[in-house]
Amino acid sequence: MKITATLVMAMALAAPFPSLAQGGRGGPPPAPVTPKAAAPIDITGYWVSVVTEDWRFRMVTPPKGDYASVPLNPEGRKTADTWDPAKDEAAGEQCKSYGAAAIMRVPGRVHITWDNDTTLKVETDAGTQTRLFHFGASQPPAGELAWQGYSVAQWEGGAVGRGGQGRGGQARGGSLKVVTTKMRAGYLRKNGVPYSANAVLTEYYDRTMEPNGDSWLIATTIVDDPQFLQQPFITSTHFKRLPDASGWNPTPCTAK
Protein backbone atom coordinates (compact mmCIF):
# COMPACT_ATOMS: atom_id res chain seq x y z
CA MET A 1 0.00 0.00 0.00
CA LYS A 2 2.83 2.43 0.76
CA ILE A 3 4.35 1.88 -2.69
CA THR A 4 0.99 2.32 -4.40
CA ALA A 5 0.23 5.53 -2.49
CA THR A 6 3.66 6.91 -3.31
CA LEU A 7 3.21 6.23 -7.02
CA VAL A 8 -0.22 7.86 -7.06
CA MET A 9 1.16 10.98 -5.37
CA ALA A 10 4.10 11.20 -7.77
CA MET A 11 1.80 10.91 -10.78
CA ALA A 12 -0.48 13.62 -9.38
CA LEU A 13 2.42 16.01 -8.87
CA ALA A 14 3.78 15.35 -12.36
CA ALA A 15 0.46 16.07 -14.07
CA PRO A 16 0.02 19.73 -15.16
CA PHE A 17 -2.64 21.74 -13.38
CA PRO A 18 -5.27 23.00 -15.87
CA SER A 19 -5.19 26.53 -14.52
CA LEU A 20 -1.42 26.74 -14.86
CA ALA A 21 -1.39 25.15 -18.30
CA GLN A 22 -3.96 27.62 -19.61
CA GLY A 23 -2.94 30.83 -17.89
CA GLY A 24 0.73 30.29 -17.07
CA ARG A 25 3.86 31.70 -18.57
CA GLY A 26 3.39 29.88 -21.85
CA GLY A 27 -0.10 31.27 -22.58
CA PRO A 28 -0.86 34.24 -24.85
CA PRO A 29 -0.72 37.70 -23.23
CA PRO A 30 -4.06 39.33 -22.47
CA ALA A 31 -5.41 41.72 -25.08
CA PRO A 32 -4.68 45.39 -24.25
CA VAL A 33 -7.61 47.40 -22.93
CA THR A 34 -8.65 50.08 -25.41
CA PRO A 35 -9.31 53.67 -24.32
CA LYS A 36 -12.97 53.13 -25.17
CA ALA A 37 -13.23 50.10 -22.89
CA ALA A 38 -11.13 51.76 -20.17
CA ALA A 39 -13.29 54.89 -19.96
CA PRO A 40 -13.99 55.73 -16.29
CA ILE A 41 -16.88 57.96 -17.40
CA ASP A 42 -19.20 57.90 -20.39
CA ILE A 43 -19.45 61.31 -22.05
CA THR A 44 -21.06 60.14 -25.28
CA GLY A 45 -24.47 61.36 -26.37
CA TYR A 46 -26.15 64.68 -27.07
CA TRP A 47 -25.52 67.66 -24.80
CA VAL A 48 -26.77 71.26 -24.80
CA SER A 49 -24.85 74.20 -23.35
CA VAL A 50 -26.57 76.00 -20.49
CA VAL A 51 -25.43 79.63 -20.32
CA THR A 52 -25.37 80.72 -16.69
CA GLU A 53 -22.41 83.11 -16.88
CA ASP A 54 -20.82 85.50 -19.42
CA TRP A 55 -24.21 85.85 -21.06
CA ARG A 56 -23.31 89.16 -22.72
CA PHE A 57 -20.18 87.65 -24.25
CA ARG A 58 -21.72 84.38 -25.42
CA MET A 59 -25.34 84.98 -26.39
CA VAL A 60 -24.69 88.17 -28.36
CA THR A 61 -21.63 89.57 -30.13
CA PRO A 62 -19.94 92.05 -27.77
CA PRO A 63 -18.97 95.46 -29.14
CA LYS A 64 -15.49 96.03 -30.47
CA GLY A 65 -13.00 96.66 -27.68
CA ASP A 66 -15.02 94.85 -24.99
CA TYR A 67 -12.59 92.20 -23.76
CA ALA A 68 -13.39 92.35 -20.05
CA SER A 69 -12.11 89.39 -17.96
CA VAL A 70 -9.76 88.14 -20.69
CA PRO A 71 -6.13 88.65 -19.49
CA LEU A 72 -4.88 90.20 -22.73
CA ASN A 73 -1.44 91.76 -22.87
CA PRO A 74 -0.84 95.02 -24.77
CA GLU A 75 -0.33 93.18 -28.07
CA GLY A 76 -3.53 91.24 -27.51
CA ARG A 77 -5.56 94.39 -26.82
CA LYS A 78 -4.08 96.11 -29.85
CA THR A 79 -5.02 93.16 -32.05
CA ALA A 80 -8.54 92.98 -30.59
CA ASP A 81 -9.05 96.67 -31.36
CA THR A 82 -8.52 95.99 -35.07
CA TRP A 83 -11.41 93.51 -35.34
CA ASP A 84 -13.30 93.86 -38.63
CA PRO A 85 -15.91 91.16 -39.30
CA ALA A 86 -16.38 92.33 -42.89
CA LYS A 87 -12.69 91.65 -43.58
CA ASP A 88 -13.00 88.20 -41.99
CA GLU A 89 -15.97 87.37 -44.21
CA ALA A 90 -14.19 88.62 -47.33
CA ALA A 91 -11.16 86.48 -46.47
CA GLY A 92 -13.26 83.37 -45.79
CA GLU A 93 -12.26 83.54 -42.11
CA GLN A 94 -15.76 83.59 -40.60
CA CYS A 95 -14.91 80.53 -38.47
CA LYS A 96 -12.25 82.33 -36.41
CA SER A 97 -14.46 82.30 -33.30
CA TYR A 98 -15.34 78.60 -33.75
CA GLY A 99 -11.81 77.20 -33.33
CA ALA A 100 -10.89 74.68 -30.64
CA ALA A 101 -9.96 77.33 -28.05
CA ALA A 102 -13.45 78.88 -28.21
CA ILE A 103 -15.94 76.38 -29.66
CA MET A 104 -17.08 74.88 -26.34
CA ARG A 105 -18.14 78.37 -25.20
CA VAL A 106 -20.34 78.89 -28.26
CA PRO A 107 -23.98 78.23 -27.28
CA GLY A 108 -25.45 75.18 -28.96
CA ARG A 109 -25.58 71.41 -28.93
CA VAL A 110 -22.72 68.92 -28.88
CA HIS A 111 -22.76 65.32 -30.08
CA ILE A 112 -20.03 63.03 -28.72
CA THR A 113 -19.38 59.53 -30.11
CA TRP A 114 -16.53 57.05 -30.44
CA ASP A 115 -15.09 57.32 -33.95
CA ASN A 116 -13.11 54.15 -33.17
CA ASP A 117 -11.65 52.45 -30.08
CA THR A 118 -8.97 55.13 -29.67
CA THR A 119 -10.66 58.29 -30.93
CA LEU A 120 -13.54 60.33 -29.54
CA LYS A 121 -15.44 62.53 -31.99
CA VAL A 122 -17.04 65.78 -30.83
CA GLU A 123 -19.45 67.48 -33.23
CA THR A 124 -21.02 70.89 -32.65
CA ASP A 125 -24.11 72.17 -34.39
CA ALA A 126 -22.85 75.75 -33.92
CA GLY A 127 -20.51 76.32 -36.85
CA THR A 128 -20.82 72.64 -37.87
CA GLN A 129 -17.42 71.81 -36.42
CA THR A 130 -15.84 68.39 -35.73
CA ARG A 131 -13.12 67.69 -33.18
CA LEU A 132 -11.19 64.43 -32.80
CA PHE A 133 -9.62 63.44 -29.46
CA HIS A 134 -6.77 60.99 -30.08
CA PHE A 135 -5.79 58.59 -27.26
CA GLY A 136 -2.32 57.10 -27.20
CA ALA A 137 -0.72 59.85 -29.28
CA SER A 138 2.33 61.54 -27.78
CA GLN A 139 2.59 64.49 -30.14
CA PRO A 140 0.77 65.83 -33.18
CA PRO A 141 1.89 64.68 -36.61
CA ALA A 142 3.32 67.08 -39.14
CA GLY A 143 0.73 68.93 -41.17
CA GLU A 144 -1.12 72.17 -41.68
CA LEU A 145 -2.80 74.08 -38.88
CA ALA A 146 -6.56 73.67 -38.57
CA TRP A 147 -9.39 75.40 -36.72
CA GLN A 148 -9.75 72.42 -34.38
CA GLY A 149 -6.02 71.68 -34.23
CA TYR A 150 -4.76 68.29 -33.11
CA SER A 151 -5.98 66.94 -29.77
CA VAL A 152 -4.23 64.34 -27.60
CA ALA A 153 -6.46 62.74 -24.95
CA GLN A 154 -6.03 60.62 -21.84
CA TRP A 155 -8.21 59.39 -18.98
CA GLU A 156 -7.32 60.60 -15.50
CA GLY A 157 -8.40 59.00 -12.22
CA GLY A 158 -11.44 56.87 -11.54
CA ALA A 159 -11.99 53.14 -11.78
CA VAL A 160 -11.14 51.55 -15.08
CA GLY A 161 -13.65 49.26 -16.70
CA ARG A 162 -15.84 48.59 -19.69
CA GLY A 163 -18.59 51.09 -20.29
CA GLY A 164 -17.47 53.72 -17.80
CA GLN A 165 -20.34 53.06 -15.41
CA GLY A 166 -20.85 51.55 -12.02
CA ARG A 167 -23.86 49.75 -10.62
CA GLY A 168 -27.20 51.12 -11.70
CA GLY A 169 -25.64 53.10 -14.53
CA GLN A 170 -24.06 55.65 -12.20
CA ALA A 171 -20.99 57.42 -13.56
CA ARG A 172 -17.75 56.60 -11.74
CA GLY A 173 -15.11 59.15 -10.87
CA GLY A 174 -12.54 60.26 -13.40
CA SER A 175 -11.88 62.95 -15.96
CA LEU A 176 -10.93 63.27 -19.58
CA LYS A 177 -7.88 65.45 -20.21
CA VAL A 178 -7.33 66.84 -23.70
CA VAL A 179 -4.37 68.92 -24.92
CA THR A 180 -4.75 70.65 -28.30
CA THR A 181 -2.04 72.28 -30.42
CA LYS A 182 -1.56 73.10 -34.12
CA MET A 183 -4.54 75.45 -34.10
CA ARG A 184 -5.05 78.22 -36.62
CA ALA A 185 -5.06 81.66 -35.03
CA GLY A 186 -8.58 82.54 -33.97
CA TYR A 187 -10.81 84.41 -31.55
CA LEU A 188 -11.58 83.62 -27.92
CA ARG A 189 -14.70 85.71 -28.34
CA LYS A 190 -16.64 86.64 -31.41
CA ASN A 191 -15.58 90.31 -31.25
CA GLY A 192 -11.99 89.62 -32.22
CA VAL A 193 -10.35 88.79 -28.86
CA PRO A 194 -7.36 86.86 -30.25
CA TYR A 195 -5.41 83.70 -29.64
CA SER A 196 -2.38 82.86 -31.75
CA ALA A 197 -1.29 79.79 -33.67
CA ASN A 198 1.18 79.11 -30.84
CA ALA A 199 -1.56 78.80 -28.22
CA VAL A 200 -1.94 75.57 -26.25
CA LEU A 201 -5.40 74.47 -25.16
CA THR A 202 -5.84 72.16 -22.16
CA GLU A 203 -9.30 70.84 -21.28
CA TYR A 204 -10.78 68.68 -18.56
CA TYR A 205 -14.16 67.01 -18.99
CA ASP A 206 -16.12 65.76 -15.97
CA ARG A 207 -19.59 64.23 -15.79
CA THR A 208 -22.08 64.41 -12.93
CA MET A 209 -25.15 62.32 -12.15
CA GLU A 210 -27.81 64.22 -10.20
CA PRO A 211 -30.41 62.70 -7.83
CA ASN A 212 -33.23 63.80 -10.14
CA GLY A 213 -31.72 61.89 -13.07
CA ASP A 214 -30.12 64.86 -14.81
CA SER A 215 -26.54 64.54 -15.99
CA TRP A 216 -24.11 67.39 -16.60
CA LEU A 217 -20.88 67.59 -18.56
CA ILE A 218 -18.47 70.21 -17.23
CA ALA A 219 -15.73 71.40 -19.58
CA THR A 220 -12.89 73.31 -17.93
CA THR A 221 -10.84 75.12 -20.56
CA ILE A 222 -7.35 76.59 -20.11
CA VAL A 223 -5.78 78.62 -22.93
CA ASP A 224 -2.06 79.40 -22.70
CA ASP A 225 -0.84 81.96 -25.22
CA PRO A 226 2.25 84.05 -24.36
CA GLN A 227 1.80 86.07 -27.56
CA PHE A 228 -1.55 87.60 -26.60
CA LEU A 229 -2.25 86.67 -22.96
CA GLN A 230 -0.62 87.79 -19.73
CA GLN A 231 -1.70 84.58 -18.00
CA PRO A 232 -3.80 81.51 -18.81
CA PHE A 233 -7.43 82.20 -19.72
CA ILE A 234 -9.64 79.77 -17.77
CA THR A 235 -13.35 79.13 -18.25
CA SER A 236 -15.82 76.48 -17.12
CA THR A 237 -18.73 75.55 -19.40
CA HIS A 238 -21.76 73.43 -18.49
CA PHE A 239 -23.70 71.07 -20.75
CA LYS A 240 -26.89 69.20 -19.86
CA ARG A 241 -27.40 65.72 -21.29
CA LEU A 242 -30.25 65.32 -23.78
CA PRO A 243 -32.25 62.14 -24.36
CA ASP A 244 -31.92 62.25 -28.14
CA ALA A 245 -31.05 64.38 -31.18
CA SER A 246 -34.14 66.59 -30.92
CA GLY A 247 -33.17 70.20 -31.56
CA TRP A 248 -29.93 69.30 -33.33
CA ASN A 249 -29.49 72.09 -35.88
CA PRO A 250 -26.12 72.40 -37.68
CA THR A 251 -25.51 76.01 -38.73
CA PRO A 252 -22.59 77.63 -40.57
CA CYS A 253 -19.97 79.89 -38.99
CA THR A 254 -20.78 83.59 -38.87
CA ALA A 255 -18.39 86.51 -38.39
CA LYS A 256 -20.86 88.76 -36.55
Side-chain angles (χ1 to χ4, degrees):
M1 289 296 293
K2 290 184 178 180
I3 297 176
T4 303
T6 303
L7 288 174
V8 171
M9 183 178 294
M11 291 174 63
L13 292 173
F17 288 96
S19 59
L20 292 176
Q22 294 176 10
R25 295 179 180 178
V33 179
T34 66
K36 180 179 179 180
I41 55 173
D42 180 11
I43 64 172
T44 61
Y46 286 91
W47 306 83
V48 63
S49 58
V50 178
V51 182
T52 58
E53 77 292 309
D54 284 349
W55 198 95
R56 70 187 183 94
F57 299 123
R58 298 174 61 191
M59 297 302 293
V60 296
T61 302
K64 184 176 181 176
D66 186 354
Y67 31 75
S69 76
V70 181
L72 292 174
N73 60 24
E75 184 180 356
R77 291 192 292 271
K78 181 178 179 180
T79 301
D81 289 338
T82 65
W83 175 60
D84 186 340
K87 281 188 177 180
D88 288 340
E89 289 179 342
E93 299 270 278
Q94 58 267 32
C95 287
K96 292 185 80 170
S97 62
Y98 297 81
I103 188 61
M104 304 309 286
R105 294 291 282 176
V106 180
R109 286 168 168 74
V110 174
H111 184 210
I112 303 177
T113 57
W114 282 97
D115 196 46
N116 54 54
D117 285 347
T118 60
T119 308
L120 269 172
K121 180 165 67 173
V122 180
E123 300 170 279
T124 69
D125 63 355
T128 318
Q129 298 296 303
T130 299
R131 305 182 65 189
L132 296 176
F133 296 167
H134 305 275
F135 289 81
S138 58
Q139 59 184 6
E144 295 183 0
L145 305 182
W147 291 126
Q148 302 310 323
Y150 188 87
S151 300
V152 176
Q154 66 181 69
W155 296 115
E156 290 197 338
V160 176
R162 187 176 299 277
Q165 294 182 336
R167 295 180 181 178
Q170 294 297 309
R172 293 196 293 251
S175 298
L176 173 65
K177 179 182 178 180
V178 182
V179 178
T180 303
T181 55
K182 295 185 71 65
M183 297 179 289
R184 292 178 63 178
Y187 297 151
L188 295 172
R189 289 181 180 158
K190 208 173 187 70
N191 63 336
V193 178
Y195 65 88
S196 75
N198 295 319
V200 176
L201 168 66
T202 303
E203 299 166 281
Y204 295 90
Y205 291 86
D206 298 274
R207 180 180 175 179
T208 72
M209 296 291 289
E210 305 302 324
N212 65 354
D214 288 346
S215 184
W216 293 83
L217 183 66
I218 304 169
T220 303
T221 300
I222 306 167
V223 181
D224 288 283
D225 184 9
Q227 182 172 342
F228 290 135
L229 300 176
Q230 300 182 62
Q231 62 189 51
F233 179 50
I234 304 173
T235 56
S236 181
T237 307
H238 296 71
F239 299 85
K240 186 176 181 181
R241 199 174 197 282
L242 300 172
D244 50 42
S246 299
W248 180 257
N249 182 33
T251 56
C253 300
T254 60
K256 299 178 183 179

